[in-house]
Amino acid sequence: MKTLILIKEDTFQIYNDLYIGFHKAIGSVDMRRLDELAESDLRAYFDSHVETEKYDRIVLHLHFEYLTSQLKFLATLPGLVFIDRLTSFDSVESHDQHMKFYKKIPWARVILTSYNLMEKYQAHGLDAWAVPKGYNSSVFNQVTRKRKTDIGLINNRFVKSEKYPHQQQQAQFIKKLIADYPNTVIAEALSESAYVNFLHSIQMLVCPDIGAGEYLHKTFEAMACGVMVMAFDQGETENAAIGLSDLDNIVLFRDYTEFQQKLELLSNHKEFIHKIAQNGQQLVQTKYPYITVGESIATLVAAEMRRPEDFQTGIKIFGFRV
C-alpha cells in the first residue's frame, strides 16, 4: 500500500519514532513535512507537488485550524485519513467544531488518542478509531538511582486554562494535595532533560486530570521511567482498552477522598509501590513506545475504508458539493 503522509514541520522531532514505526508497518510511505504556509493552502501544494492518483491512502497529521476552510478540496482526496490529537481537555466548542467538520466527509477516517472520544464519534456515524498517546522510548526509560521524593505532580497548562471545563475541580484537588502533603514536588515548564530527571527522582506521580477522558503523555512517560502512577480514573472504556488495572499497574481514584485512602494504603504497604510501578513499566514498554504506537496507527490506516459514493445522500443533506 502506497501512502502519503503530511505532517506538521514543528512536530517531526517529537514524533520521529512514531513515524518510524508507521513506515515500518505500512511499507511504502512518502512522508513530507509542511510549514504553515503549505498547510494553509493544501490545494496549491497538491497541484504543485503531489500526484494524488499514485497513493492508496493520504494521511494528514496537520493543524486542525488550517483544515476547516479547505473542506471542499479535502473531500476530493482518495483514502483520506486524519490523525487528530484533540484531547478531552479541549473545550466543548472545540469538540463540536471537530465533529461537525468530520461529519461533512463521513467516508474519511479519524484516528484519535481517546477511546471515550472514539465511541462518541462512532455514535455520530464517523469512521473513528483510537490509539493511545504513548511515549518516546529513546527519551523515557528507567535508571538505577535512589528516588529522593515520594510524591510528584506535573502542573500542566490545562489547570490554568479557562477552556478546560474541570479547571476549578483540578485546582481544588491540587490545593488540597499541597496542604495535606507539603513535601509534594511540583514540576512546571521544565526542559526535556529536567523533566526526565524529575521523573527519575520521584516514587509516585499524581495525575489529577479530572474529566480528561484519556490518559496523557505523562502517564506513559512516568511508567516507562519506573514511577508508580496515581491517576484520576478516566473510565472503564479507556482502562480496558489500554490494559490498566487498579492497584495492579496503576492506582486509580475518582475523588480526593479515595485518593487519600489509597495513598494511606500504599504508605502502610510500601512493597505495593514497587510492584505496581514494575507492572506499569512492563505494560507501557510492551505496548506504548512511539514505534509501537506508529505500527498501530498504520494498521488502522491500511484497513478497508468507506467509499465516498455511498454517502451521496449525506452530501446533499449537508448542502455540500464536491
Side-chain angles (χ1 to χ4, degrees), residues 10-17 135-141 143 145 154 187-201 217-218 221-222 225 290:
D10 58 355
T11 61
F12 175 74
Q13 291 301 325
I14 298 173
Y15 293 114
N16 183 50
D17 280 1
Y135 74 101
N136 187 341
S137 58
S138 62
V139 175
F140 299 96
N141 46 66
V143 297
R145 70 166 65 167
I154 298 169
E188 187 171 5
L190 298 178
S191 66
E192 182 181 273
S193 60
Y195 174 45
V196 172
N197 286 334
F198 167 74
L199 292 178
H200 287 157
S201 71
H217 284 292
K218 62 184 176 182
E221 292 161 352
C225 289
Y290 274 166

Side-chain angles (χ1 to χ4, degrees), residues 44 63 71 90 111 139-140 162 177 181 207 244 253 291 321:
H63 293 94
L71 181 61
D90 291 287
I111 301 175
V139 175
F140 299 96
E162 294 299 326
L177 174 67
Y181 307 96
C207 302
L244 296 175
F253 55 86
I291 288 180
R321 294 289 186 275

Side-chain angles (χ1 to χ4, degrees), residues 291-302:
I291 288 180
T292 307
V293 169
E295 292 171 351
S296 298
I297 291 174
T299 299
L300 294 176
V301 168

Side-chain angles (χ1 to χ4, degrees), residues 61-231:
H61 190 186
L62 302 173
H63 293 94
F64 181 79
E65 58 267 28
Y66 290 121
L67 301 177
T68 53
S69 62
Q70 304 182 72
L71 181 61
K72 188 173 182 179
F73 169 69
L74 293 173
T76 68
L77 299 178
L80 183 60
V81 180
F82 296 93
I83 298 177
D84 192 330
R85 309 304 282 184
L86 177 76
T87 74
S88 296
F89 271 124
D90 291 287
S91 65
V92 173
E93 291 78 11
S94 293
H95 285 283
D96 290 345
Q97 184 184 25
H98 283 236
M99 191 174 296
K100 182 179 179 180
F101 174 81
Y102 294 127
K103 285 175 76 172
K104 291 182 178 179
I105 41 175
W107 55 87
R109 178 163 294 151
V110 186
I111 301 175
L112 304 158
T113 58
S114 164
Y115 291 95
N116 288 316
L117 206 55
M118 177 193 80
E119 288 192 344
K120 181 178 179 181
Y121 275 41
Q122 288 178 346
H124 283 79
L126 295 174
D127 184 12
W129 303 93
V131 178
K133 291 187 181 302
Y135 74 101
N136 187 341
S137 58
S138 62
V139 175
F140 299 96
N141 46 66
Q142 188 172 9
V143 297
T144 304
R145 70 166 65 167
K146 183 175 176 60
R147 297 181 184 270
K148 58 186 179 182
T149 303
D150 288 337
I151 303 174
L153 174 80
I154 298 169
N155 195 10
N156 60 44
R157 63 185 175 88
F158 300 109
V159 176
K160 301 175 182 177
S161 172
E162 294 299 326
K163 293 182 179 180
Y164 171 35
H166 299 278
Q167 185 265 343
Q168 287 189 343
Q169 296 100 306
Q170 185 169 343
Q172 289 170 1
F173 184 103
I174 293 173
K175 185 177 180 180
K176 290 180 182 178
L177 174 67
I178 295 170
D180 293 338
Y181 307 96
N183 291 328
T184 299
V185 176
I186 301 176
E188 187 171 5
L190 298 178
S191 66
E192 182 181 273
S193 60
Y195 174 45
V196 172
N197 286 334
F198 167 74
L199 292 178
H200 287 157
S201 71
I202 61 175
Q203 279 196 317
M204 296 177 283
L205 179 70
V206 180
C207 302
D209 303 313
I210 299 169
E214 65 179 306
Y215 296 95
L216 305 186
H217 284 292
K218 62 184 176 182
T219 306
F220 301 93
E221 292 161 352
M223 286 181 170
C225 289
V227 180
M228 195 213 74
V229 173
M230 298 187 72

Side-chain angles (χ1 to χ4, degrees), residues 274-285:
H274 179 66
K275 184 61 176 176
I276 294 169
Q278 272 191 326
N279 291 343
Q281 185 179 48
Q282 183 178 10
L283 171 70
V284 300
Q285 286 181 339

